[in-house]
Amino acid sequence: MHLFLVNSGSNCLPPCCSLLLLAAWVRAEPVTDLCPEDVMPTEWRGPCLGAQLLFSNAHSKHDLMPEVGNGHLATAMQSDKIYAAGFFNGPARGTNVETTHRASIPRSIYWIDTMHGETFPPGYGRALDMERAVFLQHTKDPVGAEGIIVRERWYAPWQAPTLMVHEIELENPGGISRTVKIQRFRRTRSADLSIQEVNPTRLQALGMQPESVSVLEGSNIIPEADGHPTRFALAENVLSNSVNLLPGKRKTLYALVAIVTSLNSTDPTRDALDTLHRYMINNQAKSSTLFSQHCTAWKERAEAGRVEVAGDLALARVVNASLYFIRSSVRPDWPQGLSPGGLSSNCYRGHTFWDQETWMLPPLLMLEPEAARSLLHYRVNRLLEARKKAAECGSSEQVSWCPQGYSDSVDSTALMFPWESAHTGMEVQYVNGNMGPWGRFEQHINGDIALAARQYWYATHDRTWLADVAFPLIDGIASFYSARLQATLGAQYALNNVMGPDEYHWPVNNSAYSNAIARVALEFAAEAANEVRTTGSKYKDFINQARGLPVLVAPEVPGRIDLKGGYHPEYEGFPKKGDKAEVKQADTILLSFPIGFHMESNVLRNDLEFYESITDQHGPAMTWSLFAIAWLSVGDYSRSISHFRRGYANAQPPYNVWSEYPRGPNYPGCTNFITGAGGFLQSLIFGISGLRVRRDRLEFKAAPPAAIGSTAAHISIHSFHYRSSRLRLEVTAQTAYVELLATLPDAPMLCLLKGDQSPIPLVIGKRYECQRTVASEIMVCDGRSKYTTSMKSSPTVTTTTTAITTTTVPNSPQVANTQLSTVRMTGTSTSTILRTSQAMQTARPTLLSTTGNSSAFLTTTHAVLSETPASTSDLTNAVVVFMTVQNIDQPALMADTRLTAAFKAKIQSVVALEAGIEIQPNDVDVELLPGSVVARSTVTPPDGISATAIHEAFQAALTSSQLLRRTVSQELSVLPGIESVTTGPVQVSDIRIEVKPQVPGFVAGLWLVWPVVIVCCACAVLAMCGTAATQCPRAHSNGAVDDFPFNGTWIAKRDGSGTKAESGSLMVIIGNSIYWHGNGQVVPSRIWYAEDGYHMTNPFHDTLTHEVCLINGELVIDHGHEKAVCFTRFRSQGTPEEIPGQEKPVCFERFRPGGSEETPLLLTRSSEDLRSVN
């Protein structure tokens, strides 16, 4: 939770007069215990009630003390050790010595003895201020200086990453002078370092006073890799051992420590001294600015991304502590990875595991994407060792296991990341010189990294990053899996001898989690290759291997005859004979989230029921957080509550420092266990909100705060990041609110889609209410991501773009500010000419509202479900694939526009894949024709490739159509929601291929007649029909939108003069919404009903209104001056409605059938199109 209270002043003091603002934020019952008014300092109470400060009035155990850190340096309070990110000691493969681990850097500790014991006097104490990233201690009565007040602050300045600060403020409120003694403990030795103290003579030569500074320098004793020691230097100022304080005076002392290593310096000693000198000169004047600048930096981090809990103080404190501890260990500009125990400890030797990508990165991705990118760059910067590990796999007992024949198939680009890594990226999972089973078999870490990279791409669409940074990583991981898989019968594959996240069972075959995450890696590599325009036959192989790698489903749940519909066994043959069916931690339940593996809800429920009963009850905390997310996703709130609470039970008071295990036989395990903190944050960011990051959108369907057992009035993700925009999502008991907070200059406009309603462009600062129980989406307003428009496309494609802007009209529906790409292709006969990428097709199809008897006519694919099979006789240089899909209820499918789009997208991607590497998904048009369901796919090759060649490739790849038939059947069978429109197993029963060779240019020119015919009537001019508005008959309606009679596509009538239309040449009406095509734009307007009839707003001048009516089947709009504009409705029969006595519109007879008032095809044409052909 974050209070909307602004700290002011250069000393960054917290507010102290905010109780009125706090009243709505806290529960009454815990305040006395958590923020005791008569016990804690008065100025701390406001931040404490705001859940930003954790108070204690007693000294605490060392292992439960919090850290202060800035992602470069960190230390746990009361510790005499500092750790620097990336600084390790010990060999990668420890034989007689400990394997590489964080190097402990000694530090001096200053303190003041007081006359009080373990408990502080009333009004004093200790606190972790998470908002300002500082540890505080207030006490009084130093020994020999009674009455003196001592205020201390420890922090690692964010803006000065090589510095750590301990401030001591002394105040003498009494009437006599006092002398305060300053104690110092100095440690100059470390078992990890070879250390020398810089002598006074050298310090003088470096321009420093020897009595005022102390400098240590040296290197790690045993480097991780031979011949590559890391040097370091520590420079600190020396405080006087006593301070005399006059009556009524204050004095602040600054104990500074600068630590620099050769990881980022060629002369660590010189640079450490320079840093120290910068803050010591002029009587340490610059030191006095450190804290205020540090506060500002952390405030900016909080403003950029945080989670708020209003009305549940205990929960809000854990939320803020969890995020603080993760942020203290990572920084965007220093990609040194994250360890389960954070930067302030040697827990797990400071190594980086799957924890980084699976548990800590997802919250950062939404709240601080720059930090998430830093974690991925930790991997990217270590590709060399990952490539070596991939090449060596299976070569001996002391390397990771790979099957026989692996070395013959693996290529030089393959990457295999170590289970544990430190500075160099070498595998460091060794005990006494021997690789353990984790390093040999727990290979899912490679897929975990690929999934993290995919989610970063989906959330940011940073194409430069994808192409220049991430693609070698993504491609290399998939290449490893491709060689690692073993072919079985048919086109199936197996991933044998692995260890899944359940480390109690190994090695096993076809681990559900391991297989699913491998599929992600293979599929994303093919997807990324397409995005960055990289081709090669191996990407087709990746897709085929992913499809053939099973995630097993068993028909019966062991020992649970009450659970019907099957479940996912953890691995093949689970459980092994003689093994105890106990699971260490979250494993198979991770299929749904974070992997996103599609399954029926009853199967997910069965998985949860079964694995909950056999999961180690003393296992690590993040397990229960993921159970909570899964139970929330299926809507079983009675089960989500207990798991959510267990998910943060390991946050130990008083500072909510995380233990790895709950209090019990394994307690505490690793502290501060930020892996658990990351899992817990996910249960809020992705659990209570239901937020999911998809390829081209964000989805959310929130649960009420009560679903996690919270009394909070609201829980908000404030702020989170998507596509260069910053947003807020607030969840209450009944409602979810979305707000756009800020955007970067190049950010695409985002739209909110609430259920099946119209898309709403998000405006900065405006809150949009959503029904909490209805699934909603946030996406780029045109339904596509930026990458869609830059996908590989044929040079023969011509694209025209129509911008839909937003006109503010009172009480009118908001319409997307969007870009509709209209692509005209040589050789296509599809009724609609708009062609899109697979990403666009799988997006939500409905972009404009539907009311009354009209249907959603504008979909992201904009393909038409024709009433009759369209002829292919007019195609040139194209291949047409007809396939009959059995057991599909066609009317039900066509009624679900979203499922229809996804259905066609699946066919599109498979056809493109089988057509050859030159063909991309956006080179394929898909129409659904009558039949069981008949899908017609039109493949238009790029320049230089003949349709005949593509046809030959098809014939060779199809193997008598069996491969394509089986692949399409499999892909459609697992399509989310397909079960709602099936009458049996989905099967492709027949495939027919036609080739349309390229024709000579003079013949091809004749083809241009047909698109001209489609649009020519839309070029009709605005006709002044001479019908005054007063002649409009009175409308018969009760004013309900459903009764509005104007639905359809309307074309301005020609008056015979041949004048071009300048505006309003075409309009589409759905209910009370009008979409005008004119002046190169598509502009929204609206119709409303009043006592005197129908009226509309002028789309170009929102202060003007016009009367609207129907006369003899024509739409008549009062133009003023006793004039009116007449429009004719476009009909699917190919002729306009005949009006007695009216001239038939010029060129209308050339219209090709195919449209209807429910499917107004002409919306895909821009005004420039319309004018150019008349």
Side-chain angles (χ1 to χ4, degrees), residues 948-968:
T948 302
I950 297 298
H951 179 253
E952 292 173 355
F954 256 124
Q955 294 290 10
L958 292 179
T959 315
S960 300
S961 299
Q962 294 302 313
L963 178 60
L964 182 61
R965 181 180 298 124
R966 182 171 62 250
T967 302
V968 175

Side-chain angles (χ1 to χ4, degrees), residues 505-688:
H505 300 92
W506 53 268
V508 300
N509 295 340
N510 288 322
S511 153
Y513 180 87
S514 298
N515 282 19
I517 205 71
R519 288 170 61 163
V520 168
L522 291 163
E523 291 169 346
F524 183 47
E527 177 187 332
N530 186 47
E531 297 294 345
V532 301
R533 303 183 182 184
T534 297
T535 60
S537 60
K538 71 176 184 179
Y539 300 111
K540 181 177 177 180
D541 294 337
F542 291 169
I543 294 296
N544 289 332
Q545 288 177 303
R547 291 170 179 163
L549 187 61
V551 176
L552 301 175
V553 178
E556 297 180 354
V557 183
R560 295 294 301 270
I561 60 174
D562 57 313
L563 300 179
K564 306 298 182 183
Y567 88 116
H568 292 99
E570 185 181 295
Y571 51 83
E572 191 176 294
F574 174 81
K576 284 186 175 181
K577 186 176 181 180
D579 281 3
K580 182 181 179 182
E582 183 179 41
V583 175
K584 176 186 177 181
Q585 60 187 356
D587 186 305
T588 310
I589 67 159
L590 301 176
L591 292 178
S592 174
F593 179 87
I595 293 180
F597 183 80
H598 175 70
M599 66 184 78
E600 301 300 327
S601 61
N602 67 307
V603 176
L604 175 56
R605 285 177 175 270
N606 290 349
D607 285 350
L608 296 173
E609 289 277 5
F610 176 68
Y611 287 107
E612 179 182 322
S613 66
I614 64 172
T615 297
D616 189 341
Q617 298 301 299
H618 301 290
M622 65 277 189
T623 290
W624 312 116
S625 294
L626 269 292
F627 267 107
I629 293 174
W631 282 119
L632 287 165
S633 71
V634 298
D636 192 334
Y637 301 155
S638 64
R639 306 294 290 275
S640 60
I641 292 175
S642 61
H643 289 96
F644 180 82
R645 288 174 173 169
R646 290 184 70 179
Y648 69 94
N650 293 17
Q652 306 295 340
Y655 304 113
N656 288 334
V657 171
W658 281 79
S659 62
E660 182 176 10
Y661 299 106
R663 294 186 179 272
N666 300 323
Y667 176 82
C670 174
T671 58
N672 188 3
F673 191 58
I674 61 174
T675 296
F680 164 67
L681 288 172
Q682 290 189 56
S683 67
L684 286 162
I685 296 171
F686 304 105
I688 193 69

Side-chain angles (χ1 to χ4, degrees), residues 1120-1143:
H1121 307 290
E1122 302 298 320
K1123 300 280 183 135
V1125 182
C1126 299
F1127 286 77
T1128 299
R1129 191 197 301 270
F1130 172 63
R1131 294 289 186 179
S1132 60
Q1133 290 76 15
T1135 58
E1137 185 173 315
E1138 296 293 338
I1139 311 296
Q1142 294 287 345
E1143 180 185 357

